[in-house]
């Protein structure tokens, strides 16, 4: 089974509370159980971002009402966390 977690935080990338702990741990257990788990979250400019390597997997743009936004989706190259990590960068919106 392929499982996609969409979250505002994931330890050790970004953490403000218990949600980050759960999203940082649960996908590892799902991987161990034979599933394909991935996490998608906003790209915050943290140490994790600057200390790891990422590939750009998609670039695009969309609108929300009258506002248009360019966005980029990047993936951590080495699966360092034990699962696929995708970060969404909407320049100027998530900074």
């Amino acid at each position: 089974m392929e499982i996609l977690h969409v979250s505002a935080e994931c330890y050790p990338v970004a953490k403000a509370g218990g949600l980050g702990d759960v999203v940082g741990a649960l996908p590892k257990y799902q991987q161990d159980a034979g599933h394909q788990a991935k996490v998608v979250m906003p790209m915050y400019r943290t140490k994790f971002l600057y200390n790891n390597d990422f590939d750009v997997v998609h670039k695009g743009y969309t609108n929300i009402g009258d506002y248009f936004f360019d966005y980029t989706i990047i993936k951590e190259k080495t699966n360092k966390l034990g699962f696929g990590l995708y970060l969404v960068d909407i320049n100027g919106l998530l900074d």
Side-chain angles (χ1 to χ4, degrees):
M1 180 185 328
E2 194 168 344
I3 303 166
L4 181 65
H5 298 269
V6 180
S7 179
E9 56 188 77
C10 173
Y11 181 80
V13 183
K15 177 182 173 326
L19 176 63
D21 293 326
V22 172
V23 177
L26 182 58
K28 292 177 193 175
Y29 292 108
Q30 293 168 330
Q31 289 280 127
D32 291 344
H35 303 292
Q36 189 176 26
K38 301 172 184 175
V39 172
V40 176
M41 63 177 286
M43 185 183 89
Y44 304 116
R45 280 146 178 81
T46 63
K47 287 182 182 182
F48 188 89
L49 177 68
Y50 297 112
N51 292 337
N52 293 281
D53 294 324
F54 292 85
D55 285 325
V56 173
V57 294
H58 184 76
K59 283 183 164 248
Y61 66 92
T62 189
N63 69 302
I64 300 174
D66 293 334
Y67 299 99
F68 283 85
F69 297 97
D70 292 320
Y71 65 90
T72 303
I73 299 174
I74 60 175
K75 181 183 185 305
E76 196 270 319
K77 284 184 178 182
T78 64
N79 284 343
K80 179 179 186 174
L81 301 179
F83 51 86
L85 174 68
Y86 296 83
L87 303 178
V88 180
D89 180 25
I90 303 174
N91 198 11
L93 187 62
L94 300 173
D95 295 332

